[in-house]
Amino acid sequence: MKINFTPDSSSDIGAGYEKAWQDGRVDLATISATDLRYAFFAYPVDFIVDGHTFLSREEIPLVDIMFTLGRSLERLRSAGVAEIDFTENSYVIHLELVGDRVRFSSSHRAPAVPPECPFDGYAAAVRAFVASGVACLVESHPALAENPVLDELRALVSDPAGGRTGDQE
């Protein structure tokens, strides 16, 4: 299981915000979750499970994919199924909890044999991805540390089951 991103400062500012950013009128401490999710920090993301590449260097808004992955953990816990979808296109990665394993399929480029990984491994990979993303954003843009959106992300991937989603891979 591999979920990672490559920071790209040239993609920090979304279309339509360039002038406001240059003029210092973008306050990252108070910018809305919607703007952070869709208008900033579009970085190349990789998502690989058991040798199958679902995403390879796909440029995706980092905050959006962090929320989407976090919500996939919630849905897997509550309903046993989840989706990772993208506002930029119709691609969907489907997740299904089968016992203590997560089975992955997709709307495009679906593998003949759906790859799987342990739920705990998926949860650990999602938590590590979110922690890495938050740390990267705060390091590059310290004002983001004040934004409650990052606290929402941290809470979303916290371990509500007291060990059910341990950090083992």
Side-chain angles (χ1 to χ4, degrees):
M1 172 98 250
K2 175 183 167 185
I3 311 170
N4 64 11
F5 67 95
T6 305
D8 179 1
S9 62
S10 69
S11 297
D12 282 357
I13 307 156
Y17 283 89
E18 298 90 349
K19 180 76 171 128
W21 184 274
Q22 291 167 351
D23 293 345
R25 293 182 286 127
V26 174
D27 183 359
L28 292 176
T30 61
I31 197 163
S32 74
T34 301
D35 285 340
L36 279 177
R37 285 186 72 162
Y38 304 112
F40 291 88
F41 313 111
Y43 296 159
V45 173
D46 296 304
F47 188 97
I48 301 167
V49 180
D50 197 21
H52 180 78
T53 302
F54 288 94
L55 299 173
S56 178
R57 313 247 342 124
E58 302 289 329
E59 205 164 282
I60 300 170
L62 183 62
V63 175
D64 187 43
I65 191 70
M66 290 191 294
F67 268 107
T68 301
L69 290 169
R71 290 219 165 74
S72 76
L73 287 178
E74 283 186 332
R75 293 286 302 151
L76 283 171
R77 284 186 200 109
S78 66
V81 295
E83 291 183 343
I84 300 168
D85 58 358
F86 306 91
T87 55
E88 322 53 66
N89 58 47
S90 63
Y91 185 53
V92 178
I93 301 170
H94 305 279
L95 293 76
E96 179 183 12
L97 193 57
V98 180
D100 65 350
R101 299 184 66 77
V102 180
R103 181 175 297 150
F104 298 81
S105 60
S106 61
S107 58
H108 310 332
R109 305 182 308 269
V113 176
E116 297 180 354
C117 75
F119 177 82
D120 289 347
Y122 177 66
V126 168
R127 280 200 299 287
F129 181 83
V130 170
S132 176
V134 167
C136 174
L137 292 175
V138 169
E139 182 179 318
S140 299
H141 304 282
L144 277 170
E146 305 287 323
N147 195 307
V149 171
L150 298 188
D151 292 333
E152 290 177 45
L153 272 169
R154 288 183 197 100
L156 186 60
V157 297
S158 67
D159 183 358
R164 168 69 177 103
T165 58
D167 286 333
Q168 308 88 11
E169 291 208 35

